[in-house]
Amino acid sequence: MDRESLCHGKTSCFVKLDVIIKSPLRIFNIELEITDINDNAPHFRMDRVELDVSESAPPGERFSLPNALDPDVGANTVNTYKLSNNDHFTIDIHSGSDGTKYVDLVLTNALDREQRAVHNLILTAVDGGVPARSGTASIIVRVLDTNDNAPQFDRAVYSLNMSENSPIGTLATKLNATDADEGSNADITYSFTLYTSEKTQDMFKLNSKTGEITVKGTIDFEDMKIFEMHIEAKDNGPVPLSNQCRVTLHITDMNDNYPEITIKSLKNTVKEDIPVGTVIAVVGVSDRDTGNNGKVNLSISNNLPFMLNKSSDYHYELLVSDPLDRESIPEYEITLVVTDGGTPPLSDNETVTVHLLDVNDNAPKFPQTFYSISVTENNSPGASLSSITAVDPDLHENQYLVYFIIEREIVNTSMSMLFSINPENGNLYALKTFDYEMEREFLFHIEARDSGIPPLSSNVTVHIIIMDQNDNTPLIVSPWRAHGSVVEEKIPRSTDKGTLIAKVIAVDTDSVHNSRITYQFLQNTDATLFSLDQYNGEIRTMRIFSYRDSRHQRLVVIAKDNGEPSLSATVTIKLSTVETALKTYADMTEVPEYDIFSDLNLYLVIGLGSVSFLLLITILVTIVLKCQKPKPSKAAPPCRNSVISERNSTIADSTLVSNDAYWYSLFLAETRKGKLVVRQPVPKGARYIVSSIPRSTGLTETSDSAASTLQVGALKDTII
């Protein structure tokens, strides 16, 4: 705090504060006294003072010097003056009514111009602070040769009283000074000395000829209570002589005026986008009283987007402090309250109304940022899909909205060819029938634009999802067949249990739920012979073929989807079994269950039976002949070893004969995987010829076969 700025020239400095406590509401008045510290050094209003002193001036003659100014008060202000050492001058220090220290230059010894025409002196002003501060001024005394009588006032000090607000031209007092000289040396001119402040000289006028002091400005008690004027009377001699007096004028105060509010300028209709800081009104406040009674304060409510800026002591600017929004509050009533500092305080108020004009500052707003609309396929063209609307809080044309689809091409198809929107109400329509299997979804934007200037707009993303209907029948792609034909497959009768015979594969272009396929037998020649996996469509044998099983099997498989209602497709598979040769007796562990009465087997059995029968007769005859003795005796039994040897020889011959015909009983050819697997142990040293025949060609002979001779000695399930 700078006391000199707050209370310039006052001996006491009080700052008045009002403290308001809420709940309950109470007001406390606080007076804060600011004490002074010695933070300012004395300084002279004139750093250089030039004096003309007649050499005939008698010792003791006084010359006015500029007093030093120190904004501090009390002991910290100017306390004393010091003059540099010299033989002719000294200083006389005296105090004014307000305690101000003044100094006069006093001649102590007669001057002799011929000895010294100019005297250079240094005047030092020292304050009473600790530590003390000082300031200096240069005094140049020029010695002149003039008259020897100075003017004399009838009183050295004049003390007067005057009311504030005295009219301009009012006479305060009239000074009278006389000069014992004659002629021009007796003509006196009155003037303010350097001790008189500029403000005092602005408030009062001094007639230089008559010595009358009149009011020149508006006197305000609250501005200044005491005016002190230092008047100099100077004659017109060749070397003018002068004398001084002091006039003290006391001002009395009156407090009888209410504060007033004057609306200097007002914009009562503004646009809602008016910038923050814009001046809405210029308000003048005044109070004809002074001091605390004349101190006024202007205020408004704190919950308004406006503020007051004090541009001068009696003028305020009403500014926009926060952004305005017509959509929230269309108009404001602002009450201005002015209060003075009197006891009790006097106040007045004035209400101004500010209307807000709408501007297009709100873009249309959709309730959602993303719309997901489900449309069932096979819809009717022109069907309404949804209503997509936005809102705009502006007024009139600023809130009239127009909707349209933002164009986006998909495979050379514009969105406007697929959908349309009512520009007035935002109803969305489909322009064509959608097919889930062709088009699953569409993604585009809808824009809402108002009619303001410039127009504002916003858009929203629309996701059209085509919902599937079960409108596609399952399509069987494996096993392949011409339309309406029957699939024919050939399998060996020696196929083991669990062998994959065929796999039915069906596809459905509907969605995942509707395209879930299950498989069932619609017809099955023998329900105990084949099984069908309802999920993957694999047909496998449930057991091995027996001689009682038919050579031709007819299977009808139905593939059904999961839709409501369910759609289905069927395939007919005709299976034909292929005969295999008899297994070697030595390797047979059980009698194979194949149909011995098939055409081919019947001829083989008859041929082999005939040959075996003839061979057996021959062997029996030979044994009988070898077992006979020369002498008749009891016939001995045939040799067991011989019989076994012959039997083994027969089996070996039979094995060699049937070696290439019944390889299916020894090997399993996994045609789809291209593997050759041992079915049962193979005799060591046996030789077999294996050829690769592509089944897709439908040939029954070896075509482009790759034959190789294998030395087989492998165990069962070995992959060759």
Side-chain angles (χ1 to χ4, degrees):
M1 290 184 297
D2 188 1
R3 182 187 183 283
E4 287 71 30
S5 298
L6 296 174
C7 305
H8 179 70
K10 297 180 180 180
T11 57
S12 61
C13 183
F14 291 91
V15 177
K16 293 188 176 182
L17 308 174
D18 289 336
V19 177
I20 300 176
I21 299 177
K22 296 183 179 179
S23 298
L25 182 64
R26 299 180 63 188
I27 300 177
F28 295 86
N29 298 319
I30 298 176
E31 287 188 355
L32 177 66
E33 181 179 6
I34 301 175
T35 59
D36 184 47
I37 63 173
N38 189 26
D39 58 344
N40 294 281
H43 66 279
F44 292 88
R45 283 185 280 176
M46 297 177 62
D47 296 331
R48 178 185 175 93
V49 180
E50 296 183 0
L51 297 177
D52 294 329
V53 180
S54 174
E55 66 176 351
S56 60
E61 186 173 350
R62 296 173 175 269
F63 305 95
S64 296
L65 295 179
N67 67 313
L69 302 178
D70 192 337
D72 296 326
V73 297
N76 294 325
T77 189
V78 177
N79 183 47
T80 186
Y81 294 88
K82 296 179 181 179
L83 186 66
S84 60
N85 294 329
N86 64 91
D87 297 329
H88 297 278
F89 297 94
T90 186
I91 56 174
D92 181 24
I93 303 171
H94 53 90
S95 301
S97 61
D98 58 350
T100 303
K101 300 291 184 179
Y102 301 101
V103 61
D104 291 337
L105 184 65
V106 180
L107 182 64
T108 57
N109 296 314
L111 299 174
D112 189 355
R113 180 180 177 279
E114 285 70 25
Q115 291 182 0
R116 190 173 182 180
V118 178
H119 296 266
N120 294 316
L121 306 175
I122 300 298
L123 180 63
T124 302
V126 181
D127 63 20
V130 178
R133 296 175 180 267
S134 63
T136 61
S138 177
I139 302 174
I140 300 174
V141 178
R142 291 189 294 267
V143 180
L144 301 177
D145 199 8
T146 60
N147 62 27
D148 55 354
N149 290 293
Q152 297 294 324
F153 287 96
D154 55 359
R155 284 188 294 174
V157 176
Y158 294 84
S159 181
L160 306 171
N161 293 321
M162 177 173 283
S163 299
E164 65 171 330
N165 302 322
S166 296
I168 295 175
T170 301
L171 179 64
T173 188
K174 183 178 180 180
L175 303 177
N176 183 30
T178 59
D179 194 323
D181 294 329
E182 295 180 352
S184 60
N185 291 330
D187 293 336
I188 299 174
T189 301
Y190 299 93
S191 64
F192 291 111
T193 70
L194 297 176
Y195 301 148
T196 304
S197 66
E198 295 179 358
K199 186 173 183 180
T200 301
Q201 297 182 34
D202 292 337
M203 299 298 295
F204 297 94
K205 179 181 179 181
L206 174 61
N207 190 316
S208 62
K209 297 298 183 181
T210 62
E212 292 180 349
I213 300 175
T214 57
V215 176
K216 186 171 70 172
T218 302
I219 300 175
D220 190 350
F221 171 84
E222 288 72 25
D223 187 25
M224 200 166 185
K225 300 179 177 62
I226 299 175
F227 292 94
E228 188 169 276
M229 293 167 277
H230 296 267
I231 311 299
E232 181 182 63
K234 183 183 294 185
D235 61 25
N236 293 326
V239 180
L241 298 178
S242 64
N243 200 355
Q244 298 178 4
C245 74
R246 184 178 68 198
V247 178
T248 303
L249 189 61
H250 299 273
I251 307 301
T252 58
D253 180 40
M254 296 181 67
N255 181 25
D256 57 352
N257 297 286
Y258 280 83
E260 297 179 355
I261 298 177
T262 304
I263 306 299
K264 303 292 184 180
S265 175
L266 174 63
K267 298 178 182 178
N268 56 6
T269 302
V270 296
K271 292 185 177 181
E272 62 175 319
D273 62 347
I274 186 171
V276 173
T278 302
V279 177
I280 298 296
V282 176
V283 182
V285 293
S286 61
D287 192 322
R288 297 176 63 183
D289 294 329
T290 57
N292 292 333
N293 296 328
K295 293 180 180 179
V296 294
N297 179 53
L298 186 65
S299 63
I300 60 174
S301 176
N302 293 328
N303 58 357
L304 296 176
F306 300 94
M307 62 178 292
L308 289 172
N309 178 42
K310 189 174 183 180
S311 59
S312 66
D313 290 340
Y314 299 102
H315 290 87
Y316 291 82
E317 294 176 344
L318 182 62
L319 308 176
V320 178
S321 61
D322 296 308
L324 304 180
D325 186 7
R326 186 210 59 80
E327 288 72 31
S328 300
I329 302 177
E331 69 177 22
Y332 293 91
E333 288 190 353
I334 307 170
T335 301
L336 304 170
V337 179
V338 61
T339 306
D340 65 17
T343 304
L346 302 177
S347 63
D348 193 11
N349 62 76
E350 184 78 21
T351 300
V352 295
T353 302
V354 177
H355 301 274
L356 300 185
L357 298 178
D358 184 52
V359 297
N360 192 26
D361 59 343
N362 291 280
K365 185 177 181 181
F366 289 93
Q368 302 173 216
T369 58
F370 186 87
Y371 285 85
S372 181
I373 302 173
S374 299
V375 180
T376 305
E377 66 173 330
N378 303 319
N379 60 293
S380 301
S384 176
L385 304 182
S386 180
S387 179
I388 301 176
T389 57
V391 294
D392 192 325
D394 290 325
L395 291 179
H396 309 306
E397 67 276 359
N398 295 330
Q399 71 173 171
Y400 297 149
L401 303 182
V402 178
Y403 302 90
F404 57 90
I405 298 175
I406 299 178
E407 288 295 338
R408 178 186 177 190
E409 289 190 358
I410 300 179
V411 194
N412 298 326
T413 300
S414 174
M415 280 297 169
S416 60
M417 300 176 62
L418 303 176
F419 304 95
S420 69
I421 189 168
N422 189 315
E424 295 181 357
N425 56 28
N427 290 338
L428 184 65
Y429 301 93
L431 299 181
K432 61 169 288 187
T433 300
F434 298 110
D435 187 354
Y436 173 83
E437 289 70 36
M438 299 295 293
E439 302 151 328
R440 299 286 177 93
E441 62 180 2
F442 299 95
L443 193 67
F444 56 91
H445 299 281
I446 290 178
E447 180 174 308
R449 180 181 300 168
D450 60 28
S451 302
I453 299 176
L456 300 178
S457 64
S458 62
N459 60 68
V460 67
T461 302
V462 179
H463 186 203
I464 302 295
I465 302 174
I466 308 302
M467 305 298 294
D468 182 48
Q469 282 186 332
N470 192 28
D471 57 347
N472 291 280
T473 303
L475 176 63
I476 297 177
V477 297
S478 178
W480 183 88
R481 72 198 190 286
H483 182 69
S485 61
V486 177
V487 179
E488 295 186 0
E489 296 283 350
K490 293 183 179 181
I491 60 174
R493 292 186 66 84
S494 60
T495 301
D496 284 343
K497 176 182 178 181
T499 301
L500 178 65
I501 301 302
K503 183 172 183 178
V504 179
I505 300 176
V507 295
D508 193 324
T509 57
D510 288 327
S511 64
V512 175
H513 178 75
N514 292 326
S515 64
R516 188 177 295 117
I517 305 296
T518 56
Y519 303 90
Q520 296 177 358
F521 277 129
L522 194 61
Q523 292 183 11
N524 189 353
T525 304
D526 189 346
T528 65
L529 187 56
F530 301 101
S531 67
L532 173 62
D533 191 302
Q534 65 173 338
Y535 299 111
N536 59 26
E538 292 183 352
I539 302 176
R540 296 182 180 271
T541 56
M542 298 175 62
R543 58 178 175 81
I544 61 176
F545 287 90
S546 67
Y547 67 91
R548 290 183 295 273
D549 294 329
S550 173
R551 294 178 57 229
H552 301 287
Q553 299 288 333
R554 178 183 175 86
L555 305 177
V556 179
V557 178
I558 182 171
K560 297 194 301 182
D561 61 23
N562 198 40
E564 291 292 339
S566 176
L567 301 177
S568 62
T570 60
V571 61
T572 302
I573 303 174
K574 183 177 181 182
L575 299 177
S576 300
T577 57
V578 178
E579 296 294 340
T580 58
L582 290 172
K583 294 184 180 181
T584 307
Y585 177 78
D587 300 326
M588 292 173 56
T589 59
E590 63 180 0
V591 179
E593 296 182 359
Y594 51 80
D595 189 3
I596 60 175
F597 295 105
S598 62
D599 295 340
L600 179 59
N601 290 347
L602 182 60
Y603 295 136
L604 291 176
V605 170
I606 294 173
L608 290 175
S610 300
V611 173
S612 300
F613 179 75
L614 293 177
L615 181 59
L616 180 61
I617 295 298
T618 303
I619 293 172
L620 291 175
V621 172
T622 303
I623 293 173
V624 170
L625 292 177
K626 286 184 178 183
C627 292
Q628 286 182 351
K629 293 183 179 180
K631 293 180 181 182
S633 61
K634 187 176 180 180
C639 180
R640 179 178 179 85
N641 292 335
S642 298
V643 175
I644 294 175
S645 177
E646 292 296 330
R647 184 178 180 184
N648 288 341
S649 176
T650 304
I651 293 174
D653 292 341
S654 175
T655 300
L656 293 176
V657 170
S658 60
N659 194 1
D660 294 331
Y662 76 102
W663 69 277
Y664 267 105
S665 65
L666 300 178
F667 304 102
L668 171 63
E670 295 187 4
T671 58
R672 297 190 179 187
K673 298 181 179 180
K675 295 181 180 180
L676 187 63
V677 184
V678 176
R679 283 181 178 272
Q680 55 183 315
V682 180
K684 295 183 179 179
R687 298 171 64 86
Y688 300 93
I689 305 299
V690 181
S691 299
S692 174
I693 304 174
R695 296 183 61 183
S696 61
T697 60
L699 301 179
T700 57
E701 297 179 357
T702 301
S703 174
D704 192 18
S705 62
S708 61
T709 302
L710 306 177
Q711 295 291 337
V712 181
L715 300 177
K716 183 179 179 182
D717 296 333
T718 300
I719 299 175
I720 298 176

